[in-house]
Amino acid sequence: MDDFSAARSRTIPPLPWSSFPPPFSTAEATIKAGHVREEFVALGAKKDKSPEEITRHEALKSEMAQRLLPLPADEIYYVHVLADTQA
């Protein structure tokens, strides 16, 4: 069997076709009302959480993930395209 490093010792020729950069858009996404509980926001903003508050915040995070992950993004967010750089 050849030495493993021997496979990396050759120069790879350039691709025979041009590379094209992917199109990009700049967008703003805002979560729709009702998806994030007030308690979650309040606990997330609190600087010095007690161990009980940390446990509660983690539970709320898990609950929110279980509710939102199965949903399509357009049911969760309003999206506004700010700039479209596609040619």
Side-chain angles (χ1 to χ4, degrees), residues 2-65:
D2 289 348
D3 183 302
F4 179 74
S5 63
R8 291 191 259 161
S9 65
R10 66 183 177 89
T11 303
I12 299 173
L15 297 173
W17 59 85
S18 301
S19 307
F20 297 100
F24 290 103
S25 297
T26 302
E28 176 181 78
T30 307
I31 196 159
K32 294 178 180 180
H35 291 299
V36 180
R37 306 216 190 285
E38 297 240 356
E39 182 184 9
F40 178 80
V41 174
L43 282 173
K46 190 171 181 184
K47 296 269 188 232
D48 298 317
K49 294 184 220 19
S50 69
E52 294 81 16
E53 289 170 326
I54 292 170
T55 300
R56 178 64 181 152
H57 191 240
E58 291 300 317
L60 289 168
K61 188 187 309 183
S62 177
E63 180 273 330
M64 184 168 60

Side-chain angles (χ1 to χ4, degrees), residues 64-78:
M64 184 168 60
Q66 289 174 11
R67 277 188 300 111
L68 298 184
L69 286 175
L71 299 176
D74 64 347
E75 287 185 25
I76 302 168
Y77 299 101
Y78 295 111

